[in-house]
């Protein structure tokens, strides 16, 4: 029993999952030393920066936790070797993007970082170590991790040096960016999969410090891995479903918000996650569905693969139709026209832009020659340049080839613009003073509200033409 006593935790990967998750663990497990380690030195420097404005990720309430527990029981380091060696429990929170080349390119997850971490654990772990999969992983990844660890265990035991033994658990993360701290503090459920029941209970005991036992679900490891992919596939499917209905609403005299409200009151459907928008983004939905599709193809389940793939096709179609309708509305071309883009992150309250629908929509407009002046409260200029593959211009030039500008306020973006394009539902875009803004713009002036957040009547009163997602008010198009 003693071998499962947890005094030191190591988390490999100090990103959107590792950082917030360990900050919440630090709050509830004050007697445990928690070390978050990463190969990226500048990321670790940012986590250790006394000024929390420089934390590598933006997440509401994260800064308070960091200030409270950093260098008390929460540490950030690049010294992976020592943090593995002293830990009785190791969380794997490294990135698992979709493979870009080779077998399974475009669908399967690239597990090179997971494999590298498993090899580091095999090299440095001492005594019994519980290894917990936190990153979203394709089903049966635990097998890969176990193979690397158990082979190392055999080798080590033959040499009888570090006395290594391992248990592998799956404990998928269900946090949603932008509300990560709240999701971690009050989870709907905690899922732990594995076959070593003592290890499962060792991890449950940590969660029991703040999560009621009845919310902690124990399953076999494969059910746990598959549940994560399934949860994300179902959530993404809801968004594609409501986005498909948004297009029907625009073509008829219906309003997608009214439809969502009416169907959401049916308890079997539920009211959450029914906001039509520019398409889902983020690091999980697309990747997890692609993993599911890859898995189905592997097991010869062609129809099932096609069914889930359609959720992604609809998502791509939604992004495409938005950029097309902007070009059509602005008289068939946006070449040389300035468009004010409000919001670039994939959702509000995060600086994350991975798979943000803004990327595809902006690229399409740039391709058509638009001059985009982009403002996002938390996304940096360098991130936008990286995502769009183009440098920001310093001065406003008359030009017919696509250009981007990075602005620091809503007002600045609107100067000489033909249109305002709202792509993220940041709070500060909810109550814009349209009278003031239209004065700075060219006429006719347009608003394209892909998040359905503005009061269309106010904007119309100020003289704007308004298009809003899933709203028949745009029937003049
Ligand atoms: C998601 C899951 O919610 C989370 O449980 C999992 O652990 C990781 O993936 P995340 O990607 O951080 O979390 O954010 P989420 O709130 O799910 O939003 C994903 C995308 O869907 C965003 O682009 C968001 O704008 C979009 N969305 C969400 C909609 O378009 N409409 C909605 O009603 C909800
Ligand atoms: P997520 O959203 O899954 O947290 P991120 O990309 O934000 O993904 O974070 C993953 C982190 O894992 C990155 O900071 C990356 O540098 C780190 N990482 C990747 N491989 C390793 C490794 N072998 N050892 C330590 N850290 C790693």
């Amino acid at each position: 029993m003693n071998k499962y006593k947890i005094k030191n935790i190591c988390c490999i990967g100090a990103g959107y999952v590792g950082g917030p998750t360990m900050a919440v663990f630090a709050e509830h497990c004050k007697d445990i030393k928690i070390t978050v380690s990463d190969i990226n030195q500048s990321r670790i420097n940012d986590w250790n920066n006394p000024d929390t404005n420089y934390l590598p990720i933006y997440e509401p309430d994260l800064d308070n936790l960091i200030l409270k527990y950093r260098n008390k029981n929460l540490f950030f380091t690049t010294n992976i070797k020592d943090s593995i060696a002293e830990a009785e429990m190791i969380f794997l929170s490294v990135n698992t993007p979709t493979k870009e080349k080779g077998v399974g390119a475009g669908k399967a997850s690239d597990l090179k970082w997971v494999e590298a971490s498993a090899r580091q654990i095999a090299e440095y772990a001492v005594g019994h170590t519980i290894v917990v999969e936190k990153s979203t992983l394709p089903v049966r990844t635990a097998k890969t991790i176990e193979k690397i660890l158990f082979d190392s265990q055999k080798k080590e035991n033959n040499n009888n040096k570090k006395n290594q033994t391992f248990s592998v658990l799956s404990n998928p993360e269900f946090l949603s960016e932008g509300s990560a701290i709240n999701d971690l503090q009050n989870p709907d459920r905690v899922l732990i999969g594995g076959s070593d029941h003592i290890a499962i209970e060792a991890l449950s005991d940590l969660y029991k410090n703040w999560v009621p036992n009845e919310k902690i679900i124990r399953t076999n490891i494969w059910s746990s891995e598959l549940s994560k992919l399934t949860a994300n596939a179902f959530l993404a499917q809801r968004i594609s479903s409501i986005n498909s209905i948004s297009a029907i609403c625009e073509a008829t005299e219906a309003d997608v918000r009214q439809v969502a409200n009416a169907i959401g009151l049916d308890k079997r459907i539920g009211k959450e996650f029914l906001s039509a928008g520019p398409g889902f983004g983020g690091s999980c939905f697309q990747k997890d569905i692609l993993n599911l599709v890859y898995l189905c193809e592997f097991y010869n389940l062609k129809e099932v693969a096609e069914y889930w793939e359609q959720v992604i096709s609809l998502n791509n179609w939604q992004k495409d139709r938005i950029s097309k309708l902007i070009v059509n509305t602005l008289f068939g071309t946006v070449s040389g026209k300035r468009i004010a883009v409000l919001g670039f992150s994939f959702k509000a309250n995060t600086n994350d832009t991975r798979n943000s629908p803004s990327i595809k929509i902006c690229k399409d407009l740039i391709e058509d020659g638009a001059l985009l002046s982009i403002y996002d409260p938390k996304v940096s200029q360098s991130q936008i340049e990286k995502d769009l593959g183009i440098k920001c211009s310093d001065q406003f030039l008359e030009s017919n080839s696509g250009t981007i500008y990075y602005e620091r306020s809503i007002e600045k973006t609107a100067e000489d613009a033909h249109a305002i394009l709202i792509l993220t539902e940041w709070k500060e875009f909810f109550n814009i003073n349209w009278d003031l803004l239209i004065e700075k713009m060219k006429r006719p002036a347009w608003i394209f509200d892909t998040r359905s957040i503005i009061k269309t009547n106010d904007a119309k009163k100020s003289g704007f033409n308004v298009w809003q997602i899933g709203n028949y008010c745009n029937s003049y198009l």
Side-chain angles (χ1 to χ4, degrees):
M1 213 37 191
N2 197 25
K3 65 180 183 176
Y4 291 105
K5 178 88 192 128
I6 312 297
K7 291 201 184 103
N8 298 280
I9 286 176
C10 162
C11 173
I12 305 182
Y16 284 91
V17 172
T21 307
M22 290 302 120
V24 172
F25 266 75
E27 171 150 274
H28 297 288
C29 306
K30 296 203 178 68
D31 298 336
I32 296 178
K33 179 182 171 195
I34 298 173
T35 309
V36 187
S37 55
D38 202 294
I39 36 176
N40 184 334
Q41 182 70 58
S42 84
R43 207 164 222 205
I44 289 298
N45 292 347
D46 289 343
W47 279 110
N48 282 322
N49 196 317
D51 182 349
T52 50
N53 285 317
Y54 292 97
L55 290 182
I57 68 174
Y58 172 72
E59 194 61 63
D61 298 331
L62 176 63
D63 49 353
N64 293 331
L65 290 176
I66 297 297
L67 284 173
K68 254 165 116 179
Y69 301 108
R70 189 173 51 194
N71 297 329
K72 296 203 173 67
N73 63 331
L74 178 64
F75 300 87
F76 293 92
T77 180
T78 50
N79 186 347
I80 297 172
K81 179 180 172 196
D82 288 351
S83 38
I84 290 177
E86 70 179 3
E88 296 88 24
M89 184 176 276
I90 300 176
F91 288 88
L92 281 182
S93 302
V94 297
N95 34 332
T96 52
T98 305
K99 264 181 109 173
E100 282 173 9
K101 52 184 185 196
V103 179
K107 288 208 178 114
S109 270
D110 195 336
L111 295 178
K112 70 173 172 232
W113 292 276
V114 172
E115 188 184 328
S117 310
R119 290 186 190 281
Q120 286 168 319
I121 297 172
E123 194 171 348
Y124 303 127
V126 179
H128 186 74
T129 311
I130 301 173
V131 177
V132 185
E133 298 178 341
K134 248 304 158 207
S135 325
T136 306
L137 297 163
V139 180
R140 301 195 79 82
T141 303
K143 263 272 163 292
T144 310
I145 299 172
E146 279 180 351
K147 177 87 188 120
I148 294 168
L149 297 180
F150 292 164
D151 277 9
S152 162
Q153 171 181 321
K154 270 190 237 148
K155 195 171 125 209
E156 276 303 324
N157 288 347
N158 287 341
N159 295 341
N160 205 15
K161 274 193 312 212
K162 298 183 200 136
N163 215 6
Q164 287 186 332
T165 49
F166 296 102
S167 312
V168 178
L169 301 179
S170 157
N171 173 219
E173 192 46 77
F174 293 109
L175 68 80
S176 175
E177 286 174 35
S179 57
I181 302 302
N182 187 45
D183 296 344
L184 286 158
Q185 299 277 23
N186 309 293
D188 286 347
R189 78 308 207 182
V190 166
L191 179 55
I192 305 177
S195 53
D196 176 347
H197 295 287
I198 307 178
I200 291 177
E201 289 318 308
L203 180 54
S204 309
D205 283 346
L206 302 184
Y207 279 110
K208 278 193 232 160
N209 286 323
W210 78 100
V211 180
N213 190 35
E214 57 275 17
K215 284 194 174 180
I216 304 175
I217 302 167
R218 287 98 168 154
T219 66
N220 75 36
I221 202 152
W222 320 122
S223 300
S224 171
E225 287 182 338
L226 187 58
S227 300
K228 169 75 186 205
L229 299 191
T230 308
N232 279 347
F234 270 59
L235 289 168
Q237 183 193 43
R238 266 174 93 84
I239 301 169
S240 279
S241 299
I242 199 71
N243 283 345
S244 75
I245 300 301
S246 74
I248 308 179
C249 289
E250 287 160 32
T252 60
E253 287 188 40
D255 178 336
V256 75
R257 289 172 306 180
Q258 293 177 357
V259 175
N261 183 47
I263 64 166
L265 286 171
D266 183 328
K267 281 204 276 305
R268 294 167 301 175
I269 297 175
K271 62 182 170 32
E272 304 291 331
F273 246 70
L274 283 178
S275 304
F280 58 76
S283 72
C284 282
F285 284 175
Q286 174 156 325
K287 182 180 79 181
D288 288 355
I289 293 176
L290 288 172
N291 268 326
L292 201 57
V293 168
Y294 189 64
L295 194 75
C296 295
E297 285 171 352
F298 181 81
Y299 288 108
N300 272 326
L301 300 167
K302 184 171 154 280
E303 287 75 9
V304 188
E306 282 170 4
Y307 175 76
W308 287 107
E309 205 159 19
Q310 190 56 27
V311 173
I312 294 179
S313 306
L314 202 290
N315 198 47
N316 291 333
W317 176 79
Q318 182 80 343
K319 291 181 260 186
D320 274 359
R321 82 177 183 91
I322 288 172
S323 46
K324 279 192 190 123
L325 78 82
I326 293 171
V327 174
N328 286 340
T329 309
L330 297 181
F331 312 110
T333 179
V334 289
S335 177
K337 291 179 183 165
R338 195 164 158 111
I339 296 176
V341 176
L342 300 187
F344 197 79
S345 55
F346 79 97
K347 62 185 282 196
N349 294 322
T350 178
N351 61 343
D352 196 353
T353 62
R354 285 175 291 179
N355 280 318
S356 175
S358 312
I359 300 174
K360 179 72 171 69
I361 294 170
C362 287
K363 276 188 173 169
D364 284 351
L365 295 172
I366 293 167
E367 179 73 24
D368 218 89
L371 317 178
L372 302 182
S373 45
I374 305 174
Y375 167 70
D376 186 288
K378 294 290 173 193
V379 180
S380 67
Q381 175 171 341
S382 59
Q383 187 60 50
I384 292 174
E385 289 176 338
K386 208 166 129 206
D387 288 334
L388 296 180
I390 172 174
K391 286 267 168 222
C392 286
S393 195
D394 288 340
Q395 19 167 304
F396 184 36
L397 303 167
E398 294 289 331
S399 165
N400 286 331
S401 57
T403 311
I404 56 169
Y405 307 90
Y406 184 75
E407 304 293 0
R408 289 186 164 75
S409 72
I410 299 172
E411 291 71 30
K412 271 305 261 169
T413 54
E415 276 172 21
D416 289 321
H418 290 251
I420 308 264
L421 166 59
I422 300 175
L423 289 176
T424 313
E425 73 286 19
W426 285 101
K427 258 239 153 64
E428 62 188 271
F429 305 153
F430 280 53
N431 287 307
I432 293 174
N433 184 335
W434 297 116
D435 282 343
L436 225 103
L437 226 55
I438 202 166
E439 287 313 313
K440 300 176 186 292
M441 296 178 59
K442 301 254 196 236
R443 305 296 174 90
W446 296 81
I447 297 172
F448 298 95
D449 176 12
T450 71
R451 296 283 183 171
S452 200
I453 56 173
I454 70 156
K455 294 186 190 88
T456 49
N457 282 344
D458 290 357
K460 282 181 188 164
K461 260 188 233 144
S462 305
F464 278 100
N465 299 283
V466 182
W467 174 88
Q468 192 170 48
I469 195 109
N471 190 339
Y472 182 68
C473 74
N474 51 28
S475 58
Y476 54 79
L477 289 178

